[in-house]
Amino acid sequence: YQKEGVAVIDSRNGNALIGDEMGLGKTCQALTYLQIHPEKRPVLIVCPASLKLNWAKEIDMWVKDNKSIHMIYGKKSSSLPKADFYIINYDIIGDANKKSRSGWVSVLEKMNFQQIIIDECHKIKSRTTKRSRALIYLSGKIPSKIAISGTPIVNRAIEFYNPIKFVNDSLYP
């Protein structure tokens, strides 16, 4: 099923929502796709703060070629060094209001990312949160998007709207 998952991501040019149950290899599938497609770098990975180190370990395990990983910390944005993988957590991603871009969003939108992965994509279920606005905005700037969650719908079907819009905004404009 993991090979099939990678094949599905590949058939959709790196745009997919992986909703397998916990422990079934969602991270493995996303990173295997990136191993097959090194042209999809640089990659932005957004996850809960508690998973940042785990993502770095998983990248080391599944991406076998030479790669560099940069973890982004702190709410104060600054320029970033050149890397293949950038890992940032939801709490510091920043704001993306229509009038001005602030925080990390203003830095990240200029980075020419080819792929973005959001882990625990149910964290963007609300349209009004800063993190949701920031990630929906950034998704429009990055050609390939993968959303990952073992529980993509937590309570109500409407909570699935933002993760779907993140991956493919043409489905529900």
Side-chain angles (χ1 to χ4, degrees):
Y1 65 87
Q2 290 170 337
K3 288 179 182 179
E4 286 293 321
V6 173
V8 167
I9 298 168
D10 200 25
S11 72
R12 292 183 170 95
N13 196 30
N15 293 290
L17 192 149
I18 306 171
D20 297 341
E21 290 182 32
M22 198 165 80
L24 294 182
K26 297 178 291 292
T27 304
C28 163
Q29 292 174 52
L31 292 174
T32 299
Y33 171 76
L34 292 170
Q35 171 68 34
I36 296 167
H37 294 282
E39 74 277 6
K40 295 286 186 176
R41 298 178 195 164
V43 179
L44 177 63
I45 299 169
V46 183
C47 62
S50 62
L51 296 178
K52 286 167 82 171
L53 289 173
N54 187 61
W55 267 96
K57 289 177 188 174
E58 295 284 330
I59 291 167
D60 280 336
M61 183 185 327
W62 295 106
V63 181
K64 300 299 182 193
D65 56 357
N66 290 333
K67 75 262 177 201
S68 55
I69 302 167
H70 180 76
M71 300 244 240
I72 302 171
Y73 293 100
K75 289 191 177 198
K76 186 171 181 178
S77 59
S78 60
S79 63
L80 295 171
K82 186 171 170 48
D84 296 307
F85 294 88
Y86 297 84
I87 305 171
I88 190 169
N89 54 297
Y90 284 104
D91 297 329
I92 64 171
I93 194 74
D95 195 2
N97 64 50
K98 292 180 181 172
K99 294 181 182 175
S100 67
R101 307 282 177 235
S102 61
W104 282 108
V105 171
S106 63
V107 174
L108 297 174
E109 72 179 327
K110 298 172 188 157
M111 295 290 295
N112 196 32
F113 290 110
Q114 298 303 302
Q115 182 82 51
I116 182 172
I117 299 172
I118 59 170
D119 191 6
E120 305 294 345
C121 69
H122 57 272
K123 297 242 183 226
I124 65 166
K125 65 184 180 182
S126 172
R127 292 184 191 181
T128 59
T129 63
K130 290 180 180 181
R131 77 177 77 162
S132 294
R133 287 194 316 256
L135 288 168
I136 295 297
Y137 173 76
L138 284 173
S139 74
K141 307 275 184 196
I142 301 171
S144 298
K145 303 143 217 121
I146 297 174
I148 299 172
S149 179
T151 52
I153 302 173
V154 179
N155 293 309
R156 297 168 292 154
I158 191 66
E159 295 172 353
F160 207 32
Y161 176 80
N162 269 355
I164 291 171
K165 183 172 180 61
F166 171 84
V167 172
N168 185 350
D169 66 353
S170 68
L171 284 177
Y172 303 106

